[in-house]
């Protein structure tokens, strides 16, 4: 009987027994990211273990390292909320000095990256450290109990953006840190999704293999924070891609004129010019994505807010150089 | 052969760092410490120091990068002052809790507001509860020596705590004094290689650093920092002795000057000790029984030495460039605690002076002495006294 080679290494760096919720998309992202990293290190340096992790305070840090236990089978350090990138800088500098080959993986949530850790991130990228920064984006401060971050999407309920008589929920467009990272003209920036593990792993490997800094922003479901059923965790993030809410792209060396866009699937029609994606006609309305999540439930009584969200998504795609059409649900 | 030359305390600190051969330095410019990273940059640029110098975007990232590097198992160093040290505050606790022997050179400077770049000790004093060891230099030679000593104590397995060495803004940081640069070989012998058994980030033997401590473990973790501070008392004495043997300069946690038959002993730290020694000489000429004691080590607090000192005097006059509002100075708290349960103890009078670079003159010290003498004569006196205040503008 033929034995199929597994699509990704069976080595584990994120061990079972961590305390993440059932259906946690972020836990999945870390499992995949470390496996991808391991493959990249093996291919680049001949040593699958040639990496260390610097982790910002947040859900994934808290659930993975409760003394005297640890879920980490790689060298791992947590220091504080806002400084994973700076800590990674120090680790990388030390490794360089002692001649240790390998790469540092910095991990932070959207709060620790888009908000409180943005300065340290910018410094690390600008100084050209040999670090991959992975932002696991569950779109709010989930560890402290679901407060809005600058990466929270328009319209979302959080405990600090509650809908009410004078509020539609979060009232600011989502801030795209991947674009800020790309503005540093670093070798590699990508967005990814746990719903597309092959694409995510490919991007993490590419990020891990480049010489210099790289940044990957991966969307992952937070079951309690999105008020979503755990078994729909992957389905929801897939719908984010298919409805145009979550773009999958790569930017190399800050070249905004040659952004590589991955086709979203879901029946979307992609128009290319000279190999570049210039327009996408999405077939699934964003309502299909929104309706599976309690955090957007109130929007269905406020259709004008959903239209506003549609406009913001179009504007975001425009920044990527893509004209998109987003359908409204059939009446 | 050691080189005798002249330099500023900032240069002395950079020289100490060069001699200690840290593998990673991360620093951010701030007055009055900027010359330290500048000088280190030159050493690195000229190939005289083989280190990674990370030019971070803030002091918070400076100390965070030092934590990362130290946790990866290498010797690390940084320099800062005032607002910069305050910005590091959060991570200072973590560095101590994670038992990382980082050394910081601090050009002691006042804290805002109002913004002020000149000397007092509020910056380091405000970090006294972080778990870090604290040394204070009287002159530029001490700044150099104490940084080497700080590395040695910090990296001792019985201690494994970070350390800061303070030297007064401008009075030392920007003032040229004679300094002897020790031989590299002797420093190498003194410090040895840093090869931590507890902190490394090595794929061949992965460990988790910085885990969450639940109530079932948190207190014990904090207690080990307490224990390490206690252990440091003995280790510091040993290192001082070894330093004297190797380099010929003697250090003590509490250094006394003309205290033999003193009735009033001034107690102070840093460069102010030099001024007060001069003042004591001047008073002794007039037949007054006064002396001075200098705290070279402030954390761990030298309780035993302070108790010995207390036996010698009827009044301890504390001269301090810091304030704990509604209480007095930090030394006043520490001395009160050290002496409170003794059956016999001297009176303690606290003087707050020289804040934000205000010169401390003999006239100010006369004012302090007059109050100390009231305490000596059993007259009424104020426990906390602000000296040299310009009452006309209040």
């Amino acid at each position: 009987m033929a034995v199929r080679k597994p699509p990704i290494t069976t080595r584990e760096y994120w061990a079972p027994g961590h305390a993440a919720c059932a259906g946690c998309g972020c836990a999945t992202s870390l499992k995949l990211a470390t496996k991808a990293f391991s493959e990249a290190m093996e291919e680049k340096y001949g040593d699958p273990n040639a990496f260390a992790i610097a982790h910002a305070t947040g859900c994934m840090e808290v659930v993975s390292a409760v003394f005297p236990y640890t879920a980490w089978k790689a060298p791992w350090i947590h220091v504080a909320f806002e400084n994973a990138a700076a800590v990674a800088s120090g680790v990388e500098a030390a490794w360089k000095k002692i001649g240790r080959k390998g790469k540092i993986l910095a991990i932070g949530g959207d709060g620790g990256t888009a908000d409180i850790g943005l300065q340290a991130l910018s410094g690390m990228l600008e100084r050209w450290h040999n670090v991959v920064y992975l932002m696991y984006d569950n779109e709010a401060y989930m560890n402290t109990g679901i407060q809005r971050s600058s990466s929270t999407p328009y319209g979302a309920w959080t405990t600090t953006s509650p809908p009410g008589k004078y509020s539609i929920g979060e009232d600011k467009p989502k801030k795209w840190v991947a674009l800020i990272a790309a503005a540093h003209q670093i070798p590699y920036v990508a967005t990814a999704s746990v719903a597309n593990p092959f694409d995510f792993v490919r991007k993490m490997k590419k990020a891990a293999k480049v010489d210099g800094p790289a940044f990957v922003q991966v969307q992952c479901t937070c079951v309690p924070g999105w008020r979503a059923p755990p078994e729909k965790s992957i389905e929801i993030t897939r719908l984010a891609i298919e409805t145009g809410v979550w773009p999958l792209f790569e930017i190399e060396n800050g070249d905004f004129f040659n952004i590589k866009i991955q086709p979203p699937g879901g029946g979307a029609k992609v128009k290319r010019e000279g190999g570049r994606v210039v327009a996408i006609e999405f077939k699934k309305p964003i309502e299909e994505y929104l309706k599976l999540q309690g955090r957007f439930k109130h929007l269905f009584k406020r259709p004008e807010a959903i239209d506003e969200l549609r406009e913001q998504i179009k504007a975001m795609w425009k920044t990527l150089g893509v004209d998109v059409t987003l359908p409204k649900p059939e009446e | 052969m050691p080189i005798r030359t002249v330099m500023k305390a900032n240069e002395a600190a950079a020289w100490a760092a060069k001699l200690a051969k840290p593998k990673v330095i991360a620093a951010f410019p701030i007055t009055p410490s900027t010359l330290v990273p500048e000088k280190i940059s030159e050493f690195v640029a000229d190939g005289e120091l083989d280190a990674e110098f990370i030019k971070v975007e803030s002091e918070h990232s400076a100390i965070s990068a030092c934590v990362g590097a130290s946790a990866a198992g290498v010797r690390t160093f940084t320099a800062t002052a005032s607002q910069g040290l305050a910005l590091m505050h959060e991570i200072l606790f973590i560095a101590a809790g994670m038992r990382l022997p980082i050394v910081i050179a601090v050009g002691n400077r006042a804290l805002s507001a109002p913004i002020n770049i000149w000397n007092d000790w509020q910056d380091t004093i405000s970090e006294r509860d972080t778990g870090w060891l604290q040394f204070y230099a009287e002159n530029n030679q001490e700044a150099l020596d104490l940084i080497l000593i700080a590395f040695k104590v910090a990296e001792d397995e019985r201690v494994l705590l970070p350390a800061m060495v303070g030297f007064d803004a401008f009075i030392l940081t920007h003032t040229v004094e004679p300094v002897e640069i020790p031989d590299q070989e002797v420093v190498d012998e003194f410090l040895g290689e840093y090869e931590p058994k507890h902190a490394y980030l090595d794929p061949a033997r992965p460990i988790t650093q910085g885990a969450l401590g639940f109530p079932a473990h948190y207190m014990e973790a904090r207690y080990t920092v307490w224990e390490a501070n206690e252990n440091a008392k003995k280790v510091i004495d040993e290192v001082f002795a070894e330093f004297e043997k190797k380099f010929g300069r003697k250090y003590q946690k509490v250094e006394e000057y003309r205290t033999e038959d003193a009735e009033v002993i001034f107690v102070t730290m840093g460069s102010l000790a030099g001024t007060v020694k001069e003042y004591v000489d001047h008073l002794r000429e007039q037949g007054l029984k006064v002396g001075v004691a200098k705290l070279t080590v402030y954390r761990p607090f030298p309780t035993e030495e302070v108790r010995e000192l207390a036996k010698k005097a009827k009044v301890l006059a504390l001269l301090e460039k810091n304030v704990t509002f509604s209480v007095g100075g930090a030394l006043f708290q520490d001395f009160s605690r050290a002496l409170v349960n003794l059956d016999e103890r001297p009176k303690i009078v606290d003087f707050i002076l020289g804040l934000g670079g205000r010169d401390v003159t003999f006239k100010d010290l006369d004012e302090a002495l007059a109050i100390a003498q009231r305490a000596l004569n059993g007259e009424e006196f104020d426990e906390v006294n602000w000296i040299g205040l310009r009452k006309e503008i209040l």
Side-chain angles (χ1 to χ4, degrees):
Chain A
M1 205 174 89
V3 178
R4 271 182 62 198
K5 187 178 178 282
I8 191 163
T9 176
T10 53
R11 287 186 294 273
E12 297 285 354
Y13 296 90
W14 169 257
H18 61 73
C21 307
C24 173
C26 308
T28 305
S29 81
L30 297 192
K31 187 182 179 81
L32 292 171
T34 45
K35 280 171 177 279
F37 230 81
S38 171
E39 286 194 346
M41 293 302 100
E42 187 171 34
E43 288 163 21
K44 185 161 183 178
Y45 299 111
D47 178 2
N49 302 326
F51 64 102
I53 299 166
H55 207 143
T57 309
C59 276
M60 291 302 100
E61 169 268 321
V62 168
V63 301
S64 63
V66 179
F67 184 85
Y69 305 106
T70 181
W72 294 100
K73 294 183 171 185
W76 184 90
I77 180 172
H78 155 253
V79 179
F81 198 3
E82 67 280 57
N83 65 355
V87 173
S89 303
V91 177
E92 184 252 14
W95 275 30
K96 201 190 268 180
K97 210 70 247 164
I98 59 179
R100 179 167 288 149
K101 282 193 169 25
K103 191 138 188 163
I104 312 304
L105 172 60
I107 301 172
D110 49 292
T113 307
D115 295 343
I116 196 168
L118 188 65
Q119 173 184 316
L121 172 67
S122 176
M124 184 277 283
L125 298 178
E126 165 274 316
R127 292 189 303 269
W128 228 253
H129 290 280
N130 196 28
V131 172
V132 176
Y133 193 105
L134 174 66
M135 170 185 177
Y136 66 91
D137 190 358
N138 57 16
E139 305 192 318
Y141 291 88
M142 300 313 188
N143 190 42
T144 44
I146 319 162
Q147 292 80 35
R148 68 82 72 178
S149 78
S150 60
S151 197
T152 300
Y154 180 83
W157 160 89
T158 71
T159 57
T160 52
S161 62
K165 197 173 169 189
Y166 299 103
S167 166
I168 52 99
E170 172 58 28
D171 63 351
K172 304 287 187 304
K174 180 181 176 75
K175 171 165 120 189
W176 284 91
V177 187
L179 297 176
I180 298 171
H184 292 73
Q185 296 173 283
I186 56 172
Y188 187 69
V189 169
T191 57
S193 167
V194 285
N196 195 340
F198 292 100
D199 179 69
F200 176 41
V201 165
R202 177 183 67 79
K203 287 169 172 171
M204 279 307 293
K205 283 182 74 170
K206 190 163 180 184
K209 281 185 178 178
V210 298
D211 292 316
F215 179 88
V216 178
Q217 180 173 356
V218 61
Q219 194 196 27
C220 18
T221 324
C222 174
V223 166
W226 293 11
R227 293 182 165 177
E231 70 278 11
K232 300 271 187 197
S233 184
I234 299 299
E235 187 182 332
I236 290 167
T237 35
R238 180 171 301 120
L239 279 166
I241 304 167
E242 291 176 350
T243 59
V245 168
W246 190 265
L248 294 176
F249 62 80
E250 294 166 285
I251 304 174
E252 293 185 49
N253 306 306
D255 185 357
F256 281 85
F257 290 99
N258 288 293
I259 300 177
K260 204 175 158 196
I261 309 277
Q262 282 76 44
K269 276 164 72 180
V270 177
K271 189 182 165 199
R272 293 173 191 271
E273 270 174 23
R276 270 188 60 206
V277 173
V278 292
I280 301 175
E281 193 184 325
F282 286 93
K283 292 297 180 195
K284 291 188 180 176
I286 61 171
E287 281 83 349
E288 286 196 28
Y289 167 70
L290 303 176
K291 74 182 179 196
L292 291 178
Q293 305 170 60
R295 64 172 173 160
F296 295 117
K297 192 178 170 190
H298 58 281
L299 294 186
F300 288 88
K301 291 179 202 146
R302 307 279 294 274
E304 75 281 7
I306 298 181
D307 288 338
E308 167 60 25
L309 178 57
R310 245 188 289 275
E311 290 310 308
Q312 289 182 12
I313 292 167
K314 281 184 196 165
M316 175 271 292
W317 279 100
K318 194 83 186 154
T319 307
L320 300 174
V322 182
D323 283 314
V324 298
T325 32
L326 300 174
K328 286 204 176 195
E330 284 167 30
E331 300 297 321
Chain B
M1 281 288 285
I3 302 162
R4 286 193 65 83
T5 181
V6 290
M7 61 173 74
K8 300 167 186 172
N10 277 339
E11 293 169 298
W15 267 97
K18 177 177 179 290
L19 290 162
K21 297 179 178 170
K23 289 205 166 63
V24 175
I25 295 146
F28 186 79
I30 186 167
T31 303
S33 294
T34 311
L35 185 56
V36 182
E38 281 177 353
K39 190 79 190 160
I40 287 172
S41 301
E42 287 173 20
F43 287 144
V44 174
D46 294 340
E48 292 174 37
L49 173 60
D50 183 22
E52 283 294 316
F53 180 27
I54 313 177
K55 292 141 209 172
V56 284
E57 80 297 334
S58 71
E59 289 89 353
H60 195 282
S61 284
I63 189 65
S64 298
C66 285
V67 165
S70 188
V74 303
R75 188 173 285 158
T76 59
F77 175 80
T78 184
T80 191
S82 181
Q83 308 302 123
L85 190 64
L87 188 57
M88 291 181 178
H89 177 70
E90 178 201 22
I91 309 302
L92 296 180
F93 280 92
I94 298 173
M98 291 177 74
R99 311 298 296 276
L100 301 172
I102 301 157
V103 172
I104 302 186
V106 181
N108 283 118
R109 168 187 150 182
L111 282 162
S112 300
I115 187 168
N116 174 297
I117 58 169
W118 294 276
N119 168 239
D120 65 37
W121 310 326
Q122 195 69 51
D123 51 4
T124 45
I125 289 287
S126 299
E127 306 302 340
R128 66 191 183 277
D129 294 337
T130 55
W132 284 57
L133 311 174
Q134 289 199 359
F135 299 85
Y136 290 79
E138 180 181 336
N139 53 48
N140 298 357
Q141 184 71 59
E142 289 195 7
L144 189 152
D145 292 349
L146 288 172
I147 288 170
L148 297 178
I149 287 165
F151 272 116
K152 175 93 172 164
V153 176
E155 292 172 4
D156 189 289
E157 282 193 7
R158 293 163 290 176
V159 180
L160 291 173
L161 286 175
M164 54 183 79
V165 177
F167 41 90
D168 291 331
F170 295 101
I171 300 167
L172 297 180
T173 58
H174 286 60
T175 303
V176 171
E177 288 184 346
V179 171
E180 187 178 297
I181 303 169
D183 269 348
Q184 183 68 62
E185 283 165 35
V186 188
V187 173
D188 289 348
E189 215 177 277
F190 175 68
L191 282 183
E193 286 276 316
Y194 174 55
E195 284 167 3
K197 297 195 184 88
H198 71 300
Y200 44 81
L201 290 166
D202 180 358
R205 37 179 190 153
I207 57 167
T208 287
Q209 294 187 64
L212 172 65
F214 267 33
H217 296 105
Y218 179 85
M219 263 186 89
E220 285 70 22
R222 300 307 291 172
Y223 182 72
T224 63
V225 177
W226 169 279
E227 263 189 334
N229 261 275
E230 288 300 310
N231 293 347
K233 292 177 180 177
K234 181 164 174 277
V235 173
I236 289 169
D237 285 337
E238 290 172 17
V239 172
F240 279 167
E242 194 184 334
F243 189 90
E244 187 183 359
K245 223 165 107 188
K246 284 211 159 62
F247 302 98
R249 285 182 293 277
K250 184 184 170 77
Y251 287 92
Q252 291 170 290
K253 289 182 201 135
V254 178
E255 183 197 293
E256 298 181 24
Y257 182 75
R258 304 189 81 167
T259 54
E260 314 82 48
D261 58 343
E263 290 174 322
V264 175
I265 298 179
F266 292 103
V267 179
T268 191
M269 305 197 299
S271 70
L272 187 54
T275 310
V276 183
K277 283 176 189 170
E278 184 95 10
Y279 180 64
V280 162
D281 286 343
H282 160 77
L283 295 181
R284 283 279 181 180
E285 278 169 25
Q286 298 169 20
L288 286 168
K289 292 180 173 177
V290 293
V292 55
K294 173 184 82 174
L295 267 64
T296 305
V297 179
Y298 176 63
R299 283 291 181 274
F301 189 73
T303 304
E304 292 75 17
E305 289 80 357
V306 162
R307 285 180 182 156
E308 284 306 307
L309 181 74
K311 287 181 191 164
K312 297 183 181 169
K314 295 195 175 76
V315 174
L316 294 178
L318 312 181
L319 305 171
E320 41 186 337
K321 296 182 178 181
N322 71 91
V323 197
T324 294
F325 291 103
S326 80
V327 172
L331 288 182
F332 188 33
Q333 279 190 318
D334 292 319
F335 272 68
S336 301
R337 170 257 154 196
L339 306 182
V340 68
N341 285 321
L342 301 185
D343 292 334
E344 282 182 44
R345 56 180 181 269
K347 291 265 184 291
I348 309 176
V349 197
D350 194 31
F351 299 100
I352 291 161
L353 73 186
L355 300 188
R358 175 76 50 92
D359 271 345
V360 178
T361 64
F362 276 19
K363 190 167 155 281
D364 296 323
L365 297 174
D366 283 343
E367 198 183 325
L369 178 69
I371 298 167
Q373 281 173 330
R374 280 212 293 279
L376 182 67
N377 298 333
E379 296 165 36
E380 270 189 27
F381 66 96
D382 288 331
E383 281 180 330
V384 179
N385 305 274
W386 286 64
I387 297 297
L389 277 184
R390 294 181 57 198
K391 296 199 175 82
E392 74 277 13
I393 61 168
L394 280 173

